[in-house]
Amino acid sequence: MNITKPLLASAITLALAACAGPPGPQGATGNTGARGNTGNTGNTGYTGATGSTGYTGATGATGNTGASGGAGATGATGDTGATGDTGATGNTGAKGNPGARGTTTTTPGGTVVIVPPQ
């Protein structure tokens, strides 16, 4: 329909031009139409989803414990000390004097009484 209106107008103009006399002066240029509205700004696209976090690597194996050192050698036993000399035997003390001899007395009845010295 948009194409048929201009074709119809051209056909009418051509038909009238054949019947009429010489063309008249050209008319003044019409006013420029108002400027159209600016179209709406398109919507901003969505932000993509965040990627997943990668896996954490496994912990490495623990190393073996080193061997323990051997026990140290036992120290040598010391020599037994020499036995000391036996001390000299002491002199025998002087022999004491015998005590005085008591007197013997006889009592009637035949009993013997020993009286020690005073």
Side-chain angles (χ1 to χ4, degrees):
M1 188 162 207
N2 290 337
I3 296 174
T4 55
K5 285 184 183 179
L7 286 176
L8 182 59
S10 296
I12 293 173
T13 304
L14 188 58
L16 290 176
C19 299
Q26 184 171 351
T29 303
N31 292 332
T32 303
R35 183 174 181 177
N37 293 332
T38 302
N40 292 333
T41 302
N43 292 334
T44 302
Y46 292 109
T47 302
T50 303
S52 300
T53 302
Y55 290 107
T56 302
T59 302
T62 303
N64 294 333
T65 303
S68 297
T74 304
T77 304
D79 293 335
T80 304
T83 304
D85 294 334
T86 304
T89 304
N91 294 331
T92 305
K95 187 173 182 184
N97 295 327
R101 190 170 183 164
T103 11
T104 304
T105 309
T106 306
T107 60
T111 307
V112 178
V113 177
I114 301 175
V115 180
Q118 298 283 345

